[in-house]
Amino acid sequence: MDWVYRGFETSLIGLALCLGLAACLTLGTERTPPGTLSVTLPMLTVTAPAP
């Protein structure tokens, strides 16, 4: 039964690694036009003209 838990734990570690890598690769994909200010929160992105 120990091998079941070990396999489950290993698959969760692999999934976390893949999700973290995907998050790092998609971090810098959005570019804002010059002269704007962008603030990104976990569930919200706000872009407004810079003063």
Side-chain angles (χ1 to χ4, degrees):
M1 196 64 179
D2 186 42
W3 59 274
V4 172
Y5 294 120
R6 185 164 299 180
F8 184 68
E9 180 181 342
T10 304
S11 64
L12 284 179
I13 290 172
L15 177 64
L17 179 66
C18 290
L19 289 176
L21 182 61
C24 287
L25 291 176
T26 61
L27 264 179
T29 57
E30 278 190 42
R31 301 285 183 238
T32 57
T36 59
L37 178 66
S38 179
V39 177
T40 302
L41 300 173
M43 296 293 287
L44 178 69
T45 299
V46 177
T47 303

